[in-house]
Amino acid sequence: MTQLELARAGRITAEMKLAAEAEGIAPEIVRERIAAGVMILPANKQRDLAQPKLIGYGATTKVNANIGTSGDWPEVEKELEKLEVALAAGADAIMDLSLGPNLRRARQEILKRCPVPVGTVPIYEAGFYGELSKDKLFQVIEDHCRQGVDFITVHCGINRRVLEEIQESPRVCGIVSRGGSFIVRWMQETGEENPLYAHFDELLELVREYDVTLSLGDGLRPGAVADATDGPQIAELLELGRLVKRAWAKGVQVMVEGPGHVPLNQIETNIKLQKRLCHGAPFYVLGPLVTDVGAGHDHITAAIGGAIAAAAGADFLCYVTPAEHLGLPDADDVRQGVIATRIAAHAADLAKGIEKAWNWDKAMSKARKELDWEQQLNLALDQATAREMRKRKNPGHRAECSMCGEFCAMKQCQ
């Protein structure tokens, strides 16, 4: 039985207990929310997950870090370094997006070393080898499940009806999802239906066996703010909402992926629309990036959008690094991306009224009032940077910081 089926049967699993304790939520509440589909616990039966995570209603907003080889940078060791950096920076989940000749080894090594949920996009592997037939695609998906992957992105919402929307759309950037582009190109070349949509029930049976969570990919997400909330995006979202119910009926955990590039004034509308059309299923968003011109600083444009999205109800933020749109991120890019996205997630948790988040901020505020620097540094979201900056910018061991010195307001007004 899957975590969803066990929750419906009234059973609290070891993974539910462990994750509930980390969240500070009663295990019975966790069970009820998983049973209702508004919370998920990605945990493949094939591996012993050391740090299971809850994603969804009432849980803290989670942060995912993407890593993975490419054709130009196929070295697995570099990706394992990024894995360690992402985990040290506080990532709640890792997605291996590897391409290139070493992709299977990269996945094996990441799964071996990663204590948090690991996700993949199986169509990348099938596309890399140039074979998107139903049999090959399902063979790759089963291989990922058997290896122990906890959640997979599958672009099931692009069918022939939705394809008509994108063909008639005056989009600036067209299709920017790599997985979405693989599917659309294959459909155009063969004239056949998307195998992930046409054989969705078979896909559900496959992933149910391993209790792999489906992340329903947004293959038509907007890649430009001018394309946000358009016909193709909404047409796909409608299909994903229907697929959510079909997954639940088969006992499969599911979340839904969201946009992309969205201007500030449309973010809340996007989140509320998704929650309504997809029946409260957890929402996983990339950014969203609030402007197209932040190249080199897109971890900031995404953090701005991510904070607004999560405050409006998004549950899972996929990080964006400074290298987005420019090239494969290095370890420092990964670290900056995780930290920026964690700040966005935590800011949103305050807006959501998450008690755990408020207690953290109150403890920091108290330490500031008391000029307790060691406690402030211990409570900093990015302790390493805070410690280095405190040491570099303050002479000696004075109680105040070098900005106000003896005129520190905290010291003068007790």
Side-chain angles (χ1 to χ4, degrees):
M1 297 174 73
T2 65
Q3 294 284 337
L4 174 56
E5 291 171 322
L6 290 165
R8 286 173 176 169
R11 294 169 59 182
I12 297 173
T13 67
E15 293 85 0
M16 291 180 202
K17 288 181 181 178
L18 192 58
E21 182 179 354
E23 289 284 339
I25 303 176
E28 175 59 21
I29 292 176
V30 167
R31 184 202 66 76
E32 290 174 355
R33 290 174 181 171
I34 291 175
V38 298
M39 181 180 278
I40 57 172
L41 197 165
N44 190 318
K45 294 177 181 178
Q46 294 293 100
R47 74 185 189 116
D48 186 12
L49 189 58
Q51 298 177 28
K53 301 286 183 174
L54 294 169
I55 300 169
Y57 178 69
T60 53
T61 305
K62 300 303 185 296
V63 171
N64 173 73
N66 292 337
I67 60 174
T69 61
S70 73
D72 290 334
W73 300 96
E75 296 89 352
V76 173
E77 289 68 28
K78 290 185 182 295
E79 301 314 308
L80 297 179
E81 178 189 358
K82 294 178 194 177
L83 171 64
E84 294 303 318
V85 167
L87 293 173
D92 298 295
I94 299 292
M95 287 200 79
D96 173 25
L97 308 186
S98 290
L99 286 174
N102 297 325
L103 58 83
R104 196 172 195 280
R105 178 175 165 245
R107 185 166 64 250
Q108 287 176 322
E109 295 299 325
I110 289 168
L111 283 165
K112 189 186 304 181
R113 291 166 168 79
C114 189
V116 299
V118 172
T120 60
V121 189
I123 197 171
Y124 289 178
E125 181 173 347
F128 175 76
Y129 290 114
E131 179 56 78
L132 288 182
S133 68
K134 181 260 182 179
D135 289 344
K136 178 62 178 179
L137 188 50
F138 274 58
Q139 176 188 328
V140 170
I141 291 171
E142 184 163 14
D143 189 40
H144 285 224
C145 294
R146 190 182 297 114
Q147 278 189 281
V149 170
D150 301 294
F151 63 98
I152 58 171
T153 292
V154 281
H155 301 82
C156 303
I158 304 175
N159 56 27
R160 300 209 64 80
R161 291 192 301 274
V162 173
L163 188 58
E164 292 177 6
E165 288 279 352
I166 194 67
Q167 290 171 334
E168 297 173 0
S169 170
R171 276 189 167 190
V172 175
C173 279
I175 298 174
V176 299
S177 160
R178 184 161 57 189
S181 69
F182 283 152
I183 288 289
V184 170
R185 186 181 67 181
W186 185 85
M187 291 173 68
Q188 290 173 334
E189 290 176 352
T190 64
E192 296 182 24
E193 183 59 276
N194 174 2
L196 293 171
Y197 176 79
H199 302 279
F200 188 67
D201 286 337
E202 187 175 340
L203 173 64
L204 293 175
E205 291 297 333
L206 193 164
V207 298
R208 180 187 172 279
E209 180 181 350
Y210 300 91
D211 197 4
V212 171
T213 299
L214 285 187
S215 185
L216 298 178
D218 52 340
L220 301 183
R221 68 174 180 268
V225 292
D227 296 337
T229 329
D230 68 352
Q233 178 194 332
I234 302 305
E236 182 182 26
L237 185 61
L238 285 164
E239 293 294 343
L240 297 183
R242 299 182 184 105
L243 296 178
V244 164
K245 284 195 167 183
R246 290 172 62 183
W248 286 344
K250 294 288 187 178
V252 173
Q253 296 188 94
V254 62
M255 60 181 161
V256 177
E257 298 185 13
H261 290 234
V262 182
L264 282 169
N265 62 316
Q266 295 182 29
I267 293 174
E268 184 175 359
T269 297
N270 268 261
I271 304 305
K272 290 182 176 179
L273 186 63
Q274 183 276 343
K275 285 290 185 178
R276 180 166 180 81
L277 294 179
C278 297
H279 322 293
F283 199 17
Y284 178 24
V285 297
L286 177 66
L289 289 79
V290 296
T291 176
D292 300 337
V293 299
H297 303 278
D298 275 330
H299 60 312
I300 297 174
T301 66
I304 294 169
I308 296 170
D315 307 285
F316 194 18
L317 302 181
C318 185
Y319 87 161
V320 172
T321 77
E324 184 80 5
H325 303 109
L326 300 174
L328 192 72
D330 61 22
D332 185 61
D333 294 323
V334 167
R335 185 177 187 282
Q336 290 191 58
V338 172
I339 294 297
T341 311
R342 284 189 63 209
I343 292 170
H346 180 69
D349 286 345
L350 292 173
K352 290 175 176 177
I354 301 288
E355 184 178 4
K356 182 179 178 181
W358 274 100
N359 289 341
W360 185 4
D361 272 56
K362 287 176 182 176
M364 174 64 92
S365 298
K366 185 173 184 291
R368 283 192 177 140
K369 176 61 177 173
E370 296 173 352
L371 293 179
D372 185 343
W373 290 102
E374 186 59 28
Q375 181 70 341
Q376 288 181 60
L377 297 174
N378 287 336
L379 289 167
L381 185 144
D382 179 4
Q383 292 185 32
T385 298
R387 287 184 180 279
E388 186 278 329
M389 195 171 291
R390 168 69 183 165
K391 181 178 179 181
R392 175 165 49 87
K393 293 183 177 292
N394 294 278
H397 300 284
R398 67 189 306 165
E400 315 86 6
C401 79
S402 58
M403 176 175 285
C404 296
E406 63 181 302
F407 301 107
C408 174
M410 297 289 195
K411 188 175 182 181
Q412 293 193 79
C413 300
Q414 297 298 323

